[in-house]
Amino acid sequence: MGAITLQNVRKSFGDVEVIPGVDLEINEGEFVVFVGPSGCGKSTLLRLIAGLEDVTSGRILIDGQDVTDAGPAKRGLAMVFQSYALYPHMSVRKNIAFPLKMAKMPEAEQKARVDRAAKILNLDSYLDRRPGQLSGGQRQRVAIGRAIVREPAAFLFDEPLSNLDAALRVNMRVEISDLHNKLKTTMIYVTHDQVEAMTMADKIVVLRAGRIEQVGSPLDLYNSPANRFVGGFIGSPNMNFIEGEAARRMGAHSIGVRPEHWRMSTTEGAFPGTVGVAEHLGSDTLLHVELDSGENVIARAEGEFPVHHGDKIWLTPQDGRVYKFREDGLAA
Amino acid sequence: MATRQTQSLAKIMRAPAIILLLIWMIVPLGMTLYYSFLNYNLLNPTQTSWAGWFNYQYFYTDPAFWDSIWNTLILVLGVLCITVVGGILIALLIDKPIFGQGIVRILVISPFFVMPPVAALIWKNMIMHPSYGVFADVAQFLGMAPVDWFAQYPLFSIILIVAWQWLPFATLILLTALQSLDGEQMEAAEMDGASALSRFIYLTLPHMSRAITVVILIQTIFLLSIYAEILVTTNGGPGNASTNLTYLIYRAARLNFDIGGAAAGGIIAVVLANIVAIFLMRAVGKNLD
Amino acid sequence: MARAVSTQTKIGWTIAAWVVALLIFFPILYTVITSFKTEQEAIAGFDLIPSFTLQSYGEVQTQNDYIRPFTNSVIIAVGSTILALIVAIPAAWAMAFAPTKQTKNILMWMLSTKMMPAVAVLVPIYLIFLNTGLMDTRIGLVIILMLMNLPIVVWMLYTYFREIPGEILEAARMDGATLGQEIVHVLTPMAVPGIASTLLLNIILAWNEAFWTIQLTTTNAAPLSAFIASFSSPQGLFWAKLSAASTMAIAPILIMGWFSQKQLVRGLTFGAVK
């Protein structure tokens, strides 16, 4: 249960083509993350899978069945919305039970399922409260609870953590991953945050302007980005790009080096530069360096690296850690 | 954004309201337009004939028409001045820290809920009556001769009544706008050394300008069709001294049974109202996006 | 943050505000007082203490059959409002949750019908009423007032519906609710406050309408606004009786109005001021 196939799916709003054509295979039980900058079409793609929007052309299959023209209720999917979309006039229990009530499930079964979900999500003591009386994290859990009681073929998450504060976001990330490990149900998760994508996904789908740039496991994308865009999008801080003479010498239009892949020296190296801002975090050191050739790059050293603003520094890429790109942006 | 299924359903759900309003707009207005080109008097319905522009010409040359236009303008402008200026002042006053703000609000808003005939009768008999009204009592107390308001200052008297009815509306809307003013902005201006007066001129007034515009436009729409207040108090008199366009048309249609003439007057009223409406729609439309 | 103000300043402002408020409210207050006076007291000069007689209230009923216009007012105001809601709720739902490129234009057009001066269509409506037997019937007035207020009802509901996040309705759809279930279980409970204030404001507007009610009724279907207008000449000389009739005509709506003042701003400005 829960294999989803998109075949040449296109979507336009009026004259604006949001998704020019996407083919994608999502395997049963996979945790797939759609990631990309805002406006890249990732949420639209999710809503097309959910059935909340019609596809302009193409087909959507769930477990081999064509659901392109089926309404959202008929697809057996559950969704967790960015705003949680809880029903404010219903108690937590009624919120979670709502899809079961719509499916006309017997009361006893409803109660059993809600209780089970509440236990998994630590909501037992809040079942009689209204959503308005809950914290952001608790609301999030209620929204997830409402999704899991249906035992859907797949879960759809639309930027579910973007309304939470940073600390809570890390916790919920772990909880959702945990949930996936327990339920082993297909999950499709939309985010603009590449850290969420890297930490949670079995498979990442990088989107830009409605097109898939690359599909792969987190480490695939990290180690061999298909193009400059993916290289720059995955990894934090962002990959440094250097064009011009230095790149040409390596036989590329531009080269990319991740901040953590520089060797630093105060005496010698490939790229001389001057330290701008130095961020000493204890666990590592982030250096904003202006190279003598004019580019600004970021370098990260593990632990403490004792340089300060205005110091001279030399950076050298680690062996085999230089990404080469052609003029059209594709990996060379 | 929704699915095709939702869209087609939405079309069905919108339809009744749209069709009803379409009929309500087109049918009577079309009939009015048609009648305005007829010689048609209910006293003599058999002699109905095509009149061409005669009804409009008649209105154009009738001194009563120009009186009524003039009265309409004075009525609208007079009430607008009183309500907007009064409304701003009262809104500023109520917005101050005062005891019993809720009750004050209720007292001030009350006249708006008084139906026009009652408002007119209260003022005509209880307040402005030359022998039994409160004004007469006050005049007597001060040793002055009581004024027969509706005979001597008919239009002014009506302006007073209508202003009393609409002052609460202006106050309430301006107060709402005032209360949405950012307190920190005010404090920042105070830190910048702005005096109370310049804070009012440079911060409060611009902040309220949108609400003031809305008040002026909406009131104008209603003030153009003042009717019951005139009917109950002066009957448009003495002479035509307090006849506005609405009342003139009513008189043509219902008292003189001149269907053609009244219809032509109605079309002129539509044109007048539309000039105001265009501005109002722009102000409201901006808020839609 | 409101700053602390000295009690003295506060008392000063309080007195000023109360004086203004009482002046504005005075005509209503004096009418209510006069309604409890005898006719002799009523014309005896300025006096704020009545003898608290209910005589005038009795006379309004016995001589003028007050119950009939009151009943007419209730039926016409409530009837026209409910009818308008029945037509407007689906329309507002459609425009708020399934907007098209035309939605904005449709809304503006609806508003524009409200701008049409009533007197412009007096002639045709009057003739239609004469020829169809709708003259002086409640149903005729219900129809006219329903059409008059329909744009405001649609607009008010639309602005309330738009505040309900679309994601909640989508969640209901994902949870397997049909459109009917979506409206009954999710939309309506969330929109109840908005629907209630729309209902309230439009009853007020319909109750106080005094152009069509006067033009299109004589006695049978005349609501309070037309009934009171008929007091303008001879009976107007009975001050206490007039006051009693006036008090009864405005009291219910005044009280409703006090409860709906917040919504009033929104409804009458078509959401342009909140």
Side-chain angles (χ1 to χ4, degrees), chain C residues 199-221:
Chain C
L199 183 89
L200 216 58
L201 176 64
N202 281 277
I203 288 179
I204 293 173
L205 290 178
W207 183 279
N208 286 346
E209 209 287 327
F211 180 78
W212 291 116
T213 54
I214 293 172
Q215 300 302 329
L216 301 178
T217 63
T218 45
T219 45
N220 288 327

Side-chain angles (χ1 to χ4, degrees), chain B residues 168-183:
Chain B
F169 173 78
T171 305
L172 192 63
I173 285 174
L174 296 174
L175 182 63
T176 308
L178 200 56
Q179 284 171 340
S180 68
L181 185 60
D182 182 8

Side-chain angles (χ1 to χ4, degrees), chain B residues 19-35:
Chain B
I19 292 170
L20 277 175
L21 280 174
L22 208 59
I23 295 173
W24 170 237
M25 187 181 76
I26 290 175
V27 173
L29 213 53
M31 287 170 76
T32 304
L33 196 63
Y34 172 65
Y35 289 141

Side-chain angles (χ1 to χ4, degrees), chain B residues 9-282:
Chain B
L9 212 66
K11 216 175 266 173
I12 299 169
M13 292 171 81
R14 272 194 307 257
I18 292 176
I19 292 170
L20 277 175
L21 280 174
L22 208 59
I23 295 173
W24 170 237
M25 187 181 76
I26 290 175
V27 173
L29 213 53
M31 287 170 76
T32 304
L33 196 63
Y34 172 65
Y35 289 141
S36 74
F37 292 108
L38 292 184
N39 282 316
Y40 183 11
N41 193 303
L42 277 186
L43 293 177
N44 227 338
T46 48
Q47 294 195 347
T48 302
S49 62
W50 186 253
W53 294 98
F54 174 78
N55 288 318
Y56 292 95
Q57 260 165 12
Y58 176 78
F59 254 100
Y60 186 77
T61 50
D62 183 6
F65 170 69
W66 293 105
D67 283 348
S68 77
I69 294 279
W70 187 237
N71 288 338
T72 307
L73 278 181
I74 294 177
L75 184 58
V76 170
L77 290 178
V79 174
L80 281 181
C81 284
I82 298 175
T83 52
V84 170
V85 175
I88 291 175
L89 293 177
I90 297 172
L92 285 172
L93 185 60
I94 299 180
D95 197 37
K96 296 279 178 218
I98 54 171
F99 296 106
Q101 198 186 39
I103 302 175
V104 168
R105 254 179 90 119
I106 281 179
L107 293 181
V108 170
I109 186 70
S110 292
F112 187 75
F113 302 115
V114 177
M115 56 175 68
V118 169
L121 279 180
I122 289 179
W123 279 83
K124 180 189 179 187
N125 294 319
M126 318 294 295
I127 310 290
M128 297 168 86
H129 194 279
S131 15
Y132 307 120
V134 174
F135 282 3
D137 291 333
V138 173
Q140 224 159 23
F141 180 76
L142 297 174
M144 298 189 302
V147 177
D148 188 353
W149 294 95
F150 290 98
Q152 288 173 272
Y153 311 104
L155 197 55
F156 172 78
S157 306
I158 290 168
I159 289 175
L160 197 61
I161 298 174
V162 178
W164 177 73
Q165 287 179 279
W166 285 95
L167 186 60
F169 173 78
T171 305
L172 192 63
I173 285 174
L174 296 174
L175 182 63
T176 308
L178 200 56
Q179 284 171 340
S180 68
L181 185 60
D182 182 8
E184 283 194 357
Q185 207 182 56
M186 277 306 208
E187 287 178 348
E190 217 177 329
M191 297 288 291
D192 291 341
S195 69
L197 183 67
S198 41
R199 265 177 286 156
F200 176 74
I201 293 174
Y202 294 111
L203 290 180
T204 312
L205 267 190
H207 175 78
M208 293 210 291
S209 65
R210 181 183 172 76
I212 293 173
T213 317
V214 170
V215 165
I216 290 176
L217 294 169
I218 289 177
Q219 283 199 26
T220 307
I221 296 289
F222 283 93
L223 296 178
L224 282 173
S225 9
I226 292 294
Y227 165 74
E229 291 86 343
I230 299 175
L231 175 78
V232 169
T233 55
T234 64
N235 260 312
N240 288 321
S242 57
T243 299
N244 67 354
L245 186 57
T246 302
Y247 202 79
L248 184 78
I249 297 167
Y250 152 77
R251 223 162 42 186
R254 299 294 310 277
L255 305 181
N256 303 335
F257 303 99
D258 178 7
I259 298 297
I267 295 298
I268 294 170
V270 170
V271 172
L272 271 182
N274 269 312
I275 295 170
V276 181
I278 288 167
F279 288 104
L280 176 60
M281 311 276 275
R282 279 206 192 141

Side-chain angles (χ1 to χ4, degrees), chain A residues 170-238:
Chain A
V170 175
N171 286 341
M172 287 306 298
R173 214 161 73 196
V174 176
E175 276 189 44
I176 294 175
S177 295
D178 233 18
L179 195 68
H180 181 242
N181 291 336
K182 268 185 220 154
L183 299 175
K184 305 218 182 321
T185 312
T186 311
M187 290 188 176
I188 305 178
Y189 187 106
V190 162
T191 181
H192 61 268
D193 180 352
Q194 57 93 19
V195 177
E196 279 176 24
M198 293 295 282
T199 51
M200 301 168 90
D202 295 324
K203 180 152 105 189
I204 297 181
V205 178
V206 183
L207 289 152
R208 179 168 62 155
R211 288 175 200 282
I212 294 182
E213 295 283 313
Q214 191 172 3
V215 179
S217 74
L219 287 181
D220 277 347
L221 300 192
Y222 181 84
N223 288 324
S224 37
N227 55 38
R228 224 181 120 150
F229 175 76
V230 175
F233 196 79
I234 300 292
S236 170
N238 293 345

